[in-house]
PDB file of all heavy atoms in Angstrom:
ATOM      1  N   PHE G 148     -33.161  23.833 -40.044  1.00  0.00           N
ATOM      2  CA  PHE G 148     -31.844  24.207 -40.553  1.00  0.00           C
ATOM      3  C   PHE G 148     -31.813  25.708 -40.772  1.00  0.00           C
ATOM      4  O   PHE G 148     -32.811  26.292 -41.219  1.00  0.00           O
ATOM      5  CB  PHE G 148     -31.566  23.474 -41.874  1.00  0.00           C
ATOM      6  CG  PHE G 148     -30.099  23.384 -42.208  1.00  0.00           C
ATOM      7  CD1 PHE G 148     -29.268  22.466 -41.568  1.00  0.00           C
ATOM      8  CD2 PHE G 148     -29.549  24.231 -43.164  1.00  0.00           C
ATOM      9  CE1 PHE G 148     -27.910  22.397 -41.876  1.00  0.00           C
ATOM     10  CE2 PHE G 148     -28.190  24.145 -43.479  1.00  0.00           C
ATOM     11  CZ  PHE G 148     -27.381  23.227 -42.837  1.00  0.00           C
ATOM     12  N   ASP G 149     -30.685  26.342 -40.489  1.00  0.00           N
ATOM     13  CA  ASP G 149     -30.613  27.803 -40.526  1.00  0.00           C
ATOM     14  C   ASP G 149     -30.057  28.367 -41.835  1.00  0.00           C
ATOM     15  O   ASP G 149     -30.118  29.574 -42.052  1.00  0.00           O
ATOM     16  CB  ASP G 149     -29.735  28.321 -39.377  1.00  0.00           C
ATOM     17  CG  ASP G 149     -30.365  28.050 -38.007  1.00  0.00           C
ATOM     18  OD1 ASP G 149     -31.607  28.022 -37.937  1.00  0.00           O
ATOM     19  OD2 ASP G 149     -29.597  27.874 -37.044  1.00  0.00           O
ATOM     20  N   TYR G 150     -29.505  27.514 -42.687  1.00  0.00           N
ATOM     21  CA  TYR G 150     -28.836  28.028 -43.903  1.00  0.00           C
ATOM     22  C   TYR G 150     -29.339  27.276 -45.138  1.00  0.00           C
ATOM     23  O   TYR G 150     -28.617  26.452 -45.719  1.00  0.00           O
ATOM     24  CB  TYR G 150     -27.327  27.870 -43.768  1.00  0.00           C
ATOM     25  CG  TYR G 150     -26.781  28.426 -42.471  1.00  0.00           C
ATOM     26  CD1 TYR G 150     -26.473  27.597 -41.403  1.00  0.00           C
ATOM     27  CD2 TYR G 150     -26.590  29.804 -42.306  1.00  0.00           C
ATOM     28  CE1 TYR G 150     -25.976  28.103 -40.210  1.00  0.00           C
ATOM     29  CE2 TYR G 150     -26.099  30.333 -41.118  1.00  0.00           C
ATOM     30  CZ  TYR G 150     -25.789  29.473 -40.064  1.00  0.00           C
ATOM     31  OH  TYR G 150     -25.316  29.976 -38.891  1.00  0.00           O
ATOM     32  N   PRO G 151     -30.564  27.535 -45.577  1.00  0.00           N
ATOM     33  CA  PRO G 151     -31.134  26.788 -46.720  1.00  0.00           C
ATOM     34  C   PRO G 151     -30.354  26.935 -48.020  1.00  0.00           C
ATOM     35  O   PRO G 151     -30.187  25.946 -48.754  1.00  0.00           O
ATOM     36  CB  PRO G 151     -32.549  27.369 -46.839  1.00  0.00           C
ATOM     37  CG  PRO G 151     -32.503  28.684 -46.129  1.00  0.00           C
ATOM     38  CD  PRO G 151     -31.507  28.521 -45.037  1.00  0.00           C
ATOM     39  N   ALA G 152     -29.857  28.128 -48.318  1.00  0.00           N
ATOM     40  CA  ALA G 152     -29.121  28.316 -49.567  1.00  0.00           C
ATOM     41  C   ALA G 152     -27.803  27.551 -49.564  1.00  0.00           C
ATOM     42  O   ALA G 152     -27.417  26.936 -50.559  1.00  0.00           O
ATOM     43  CB  ALA G 152     -28.868  29.818 -49.818  1.00  0.00           C
ATOM     44  N   ALA G 153     -27.133  27.562 -48.405  1.00  0.00           N
ATOM     45  CA  ALA G 153     -25.869  26.821 -48.299  1.00  0.00           C
ATOM     46  C   ALA G 153     -26.115  25.323 -48.411  1.00  0.00           C
ATOM     47  O   ALA G 153     -25.353  24.599 -49.082  1.00  0.00           O
ATOM     48  CB  ALA G 153     -25.200  27.137 -46.946  1.00  0.00           C
ATOM     49  N   LEU G 154     -27.191  24.841 -47.789  1.00  0.00           N
ATOM     50  CA  LEU G 154     -27.519  23.424 -47.862  1.00  0.00           C
ATOM     51  C   LEU G 154     -27.813  23.020 -49.302  1.00  0.00           C
ATOM     52  O   LEU G 154     -27.341  21.974 -49.776  1.00  0.00           O
ATOM     53  CB  LEU G 154     -28.729  23.120 -46.978  1.00  0.00           C
ATOM     54  CG  LEU G 154     -29.198  21.669 -46.934  1.00  0.00           C
ATOM     55  CD1 LEU G 154     -28.095  20.757 -46.433  1.00  0.00           C
ATOM     56  CD2 LEU G 154     -30.429  21.540 -46.060  1.00  0.00           C
ATOM     57  N   ALA G 155     -28.588  23.829 -50.010  1.00  0.00           N
ATOM     58  CA  ALA G 155     -28.904  23.539 -51.408  1.00  0.00           C
ATOM     59  C   ALA G 155     -27.637  23.461 -52.248  1.00  0.00           C
ATOM     60  O   ALA G 155     -27.469  22.556 -53.061  1.00  0.00           O
ATOM     61  CB  ALA G 155     -29.831  24.619 -51.961  1.00  0.00           C
TER      62      ALA G 155
END
Side-chain angles (χ1 to χ4, degrees):
F148 201 77
D149 294 330
Y150 310 100
L154 180 59

